[in-house]
């Protein structure tokens, strides 16, 4: 019996559903648009993809893709297709072109979204799981329980190296568990990475000297693979305890390579994910995406944010956090990260929808934009999470930092 990677797709077409689905299975395994001599019955038996089941569903919102064949009404289905492990081996590099490659261009399709993956056990044996995830991150930052609260250096671009030291010192002394570079600021001209590492670690040393706790700072080391490894080593040599990568920029296989090399947690940002997930009828769903991401061995994964400033629904964020917290191939733990317009006021919905405080909540403006400063911003978020955990409405909490945050941010954040 063949071992299969099973991909679940949402398919939209103007053709008979079986015809459209058959085109996917053929194109991504042994077939092409015309019969060829090498496609023997024996070869198909070993290597052809197989349609396992098909369930018709309502058509998702939006028009069909341009250039789709057929003149019938749009129809949609959830379909599970099995791709032989023998075709790819347990390799992300080989798997991705099969399950999410030249499918979206098929003219038989008016829409296609990869919504889930069932991976053979061989993938779990081929890749290293996260080394830190939830428990290791808590240990490194000295926060054994409760939500982890962090922030992002702002302005995200334009600061010079000398600007980082006082800002990181302020944030560290304010009680931040985690601070990170912005995704648009890696080894950039205004603040080259080597200079940034030097001044930031100096500030972290001072925070640790004064408080006994060392916040985790995620340096954005995203780069070409060889440079990324050197960037990692630069951070570790200076005493850094976390690196950050733009997962969709450097690519899943490159992050798996970094994991084999890494000696500190890997914080994965998902910049560019909107191009994959935003359209209801095209791209990839969060649940499938996070499985591929976690297989690389990342420790932290951005999952969106509740009441986000970006186009993601609270239902999608809750489903993503839930998926990230489920074991993958018996392991591959990961710390879910909430970000984008998070502040004290989003604590109740975040706790209600996730049911956990094993979260890293990143608030940029929600911390740095607090009218009484960054320390008050972090304090207000801790107060809000404590109130939410106790079932106390935020407007009944008599704490000046939280009260000021509610008055200041209440009318400006998205709902």
């Amino acid at each position: 019996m063949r071992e299969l990677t099973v991909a679940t797709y949402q398919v939209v077409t103007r053709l008979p559903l079986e015809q459209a689905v058959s085109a996917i299975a053929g194109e991504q395994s042994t077939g092409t648009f015309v019969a060829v001599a090498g496609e023997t019955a024996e070869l198909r038996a070993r290597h052809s993809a197989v349609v396992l089941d098909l369930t018709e569903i309502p058509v998702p919102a939006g028009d069909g893709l341009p250039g789709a064949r057929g003149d019938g009404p749009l129809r949609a289905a959830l379909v599970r297709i099995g791709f032989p492990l023998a075709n790819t081996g347990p390799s992300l590099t080989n798997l991705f072109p099969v399950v999410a490659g030249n499918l979206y261009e098929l003219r038989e399709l008016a829409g296609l979204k990869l919504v889930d993956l069932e991976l053979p056990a061989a993938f779990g044996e081929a890749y290293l799981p996260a080394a830190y995830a939830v428990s290791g991150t808590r240990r490194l930052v000295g926060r054994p329980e409760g939500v982890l609260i962090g922030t992002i250096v702002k302005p995200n671009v334009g600061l010079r190296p000398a600007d980082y030291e006082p800002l990181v010192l302020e944030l560290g002394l304010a009680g931040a568990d985690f601070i990170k570079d912005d995704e648009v600021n890696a080894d950039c001209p205004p603040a080259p990475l080597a200079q940034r590492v030097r001044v930031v670690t100096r500030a972290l040393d001072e925070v640790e000297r004064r408080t006994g706790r060392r916040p985790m700072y995620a340096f954005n080391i995203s780069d070409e693979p060889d440079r990324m490894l050197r960037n990692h080593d630069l951070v570790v040599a200076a005493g850094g305890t976390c690196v950050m990568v733009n997962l969709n920029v450097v690519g899943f296989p490159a992050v798996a390579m970094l994991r084999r090399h890494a000696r500190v947690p890997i914080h994965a940002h998902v910049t560019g994910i909107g191009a994959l997930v935003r359209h209801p009828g095209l791209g990839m769903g969060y649940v499938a995406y996070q499985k591929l991401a976690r297989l690389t061995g990342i420790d932290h994964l951005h999952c969106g944010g509740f009441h986000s400033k970006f186009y993601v629904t609270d239902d999608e964020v809750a489903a993503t956090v839930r998926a990230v917290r489920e074991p993958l191939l018996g392991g591959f733990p990961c710390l879910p990260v909430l970000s984008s317009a998070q502040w004290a006021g989003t604590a109740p919905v975040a706790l209600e929808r996730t049911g956990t405080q094993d979260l890293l909540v990143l608030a940029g403006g929600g911390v740095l934009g607090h009218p009484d400063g960054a320390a008050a911003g972090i304090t207000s978020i801790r107060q809000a999470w404590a109130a939410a955990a106790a079932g106390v409405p935020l407007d009944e909490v008599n704490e000046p930092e939280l009260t000021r945050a509610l008055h200041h941010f209440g009318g400006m954040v998205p709902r």
Side-chain angles (χ1 to χ4, degrees):
M1 185 174 178
R2 297 186 302 172
E3 195 167 7
L4 302 173
T5 295
V6 179
T8 301
Y9 298 100
Q10 174 189 274
V11 176
V12 181
T13 185
R14 297 185 184 278
L15 300 172
L17 285 167
E18 293 76 6
Q19 179 181 346
V21 170
S22 178
I24 298 172
E27 179 70 26
Q28 298 307 100
S29 59
T30 62
T32 184
F33 72 97
V34 65
V36 297
E39 191 183 1
T40 64
E42 181 184 6
L43 184 142
R44 284 197 299 271
R46 293 196 311 267
H47 297 288
S48 64
V50 57
V51 178
L52 300 173
D53 53 63
L54 182 155
T55 305
E56 190 159 3
I57 60 172
V59 177
D63 298 329
L65 296 175
R69 289 179 182 152
D71 54 9
L74 291 174
R75 297 174 65 191
L78 280 180
V79 57
R80 293 170 69 244
I81 299 178
F83 299 97
L85 180 64
N87 293 3
T88 64
S91 164
L92 281 169
T93 305
N94 293 337
L95 178 67
F96 199 94
V98 170
V99 299
N102 284 352
L103 293 168
Y104 303 101
E105 298 94 323
L106 287 171
R107 292 173 64 87
E108 288 86 350
L109 304 178
L112 184 75
K113 194 152 194 160
L114 173 64
V115 296
D116 203 355
L117 283 169
E118 301 164 48
L119 297 164
F123 278 91
E125 298 163 3
Y127 288 92
L128 291 175
Y132 297 88
V134 179
S135 60
T137 299
R138 286 192 178 282
R139 174 175 54 81
L140 286 174
V141 303
R143 184 76 60 185
E145 59 184 20
V147 70
L148 297 166
I149 297 174
T151 188
I152 309 100
V153 170
K154 300 287 183 181
N156 49 359
V157 293
L159 295 178
R160 297 301 187 262
D163 300 321
Y164 278 76
E165 189 167 0
L167 179 57
V168 171
L169 181 62
E170 177 188 10
L171 293 170
L173 294 177
D177 299 311
F178 184 96
I179 310 165
K180 80 173 192 70
D181 287 334
D182 195 86
E183 68 274 10
V184 303
N185 188 21
D187 192 8
C188 295
L193 180 65
Q195 296 179 36
R196 202 162 71 241
V197 167
R198 187 163 55 250
V199 297
V200 166
T201 53
R202 192 161 61 220
L204 296 175
D205 291 343
E206 180 64 14
V207 172
E208 187 173 21
R209 187 187 69 79
R210 294 196 202 179
T211 68
R213 295 180 67 246
R214 187 181 187 86
M216 182 175 284
Y217 191 104
F219 293 96
N220 186 354
I221 65 168
S222 303
D223 215 320
E224 284 81 6
D226 58 333
R227 294 179 183 175
M228 193 160 63
L229 296 184
R230 291 200 298 270
N231 291 344
H232 163 276
D233 293 348
L234 171 71
V235 170
V236 171
T241 59
C242 188
V243 293
M244 169 180 152
V245 291
N246 288 331
L247 188 56
N248 299 321
V249 175
V250 304
F252 292 164
V255 178
M257 176 196 68
L258 174 64
R259 167 64 186 92
R260 293 190 294 271
H261 180 83
R263 288 183 281 155
V264 294
I266 301 171
H267 182 90
H269 198 284
V270 296
T271 184
I273 197 171
L276 293 175
V277 304
R278 182 169 181 176
H279 194 283
L282 182 66
M284 186 182 298
Y286 284 99
V287 171
Y289 177 91
Q290 61 85 27
K291 288 184 177 180
L292 294 169
R294 286 165 61 196
L295 202 61
T296 68
I298 56 172
D299 296 279
H300 314 152
L301 180 65
H302 282 240
C303 298
F306 293 99
H307 299 340
S308 175
K309 67 182 180 183
F310 295 130
Y311 187 83
V312 60
T313 68
D314 284 358
D315 285 346
E316 288 173 322
V317 176
T320 304
V321 171
R322 187 164 55 248
V324 169
R325 298 185 69 228
E326 292 176 354
L328 173 64
L329 297 171
F332 291 87
C334 190
L335 174 63
V337 180
L338 300 180
S339 62
S340 169
Q342 302 305 286
W343 64 294
T346 55
V349 65
L351 182 58
E352 178 186 359
R353 295 303 302 271
T354 66
T356 184
Q357 294 194 53
D358 280 339
L359 301 167
L360 172 56
V361 177
L362 299 182
V367 166
L368 295 165
H370 193 287
D372 297 328
I378 289 172
T379 299
S380 72
I381 297 173
R382 290 209 190 281
Q383 292 165 346
W385 275 86
V392 178
L394 299 190
D395 58 4
E396 294 182 10
V397 177
N398 186 24
E399 298 285 359
E401 296 88 355
L402 178 55
T403 299
R404 288 274 280 167
L406 295 174
H407 289 164
H408 183 69
F409 294 116
M412 22 175 117
V413 296
R415 285 288 185 271

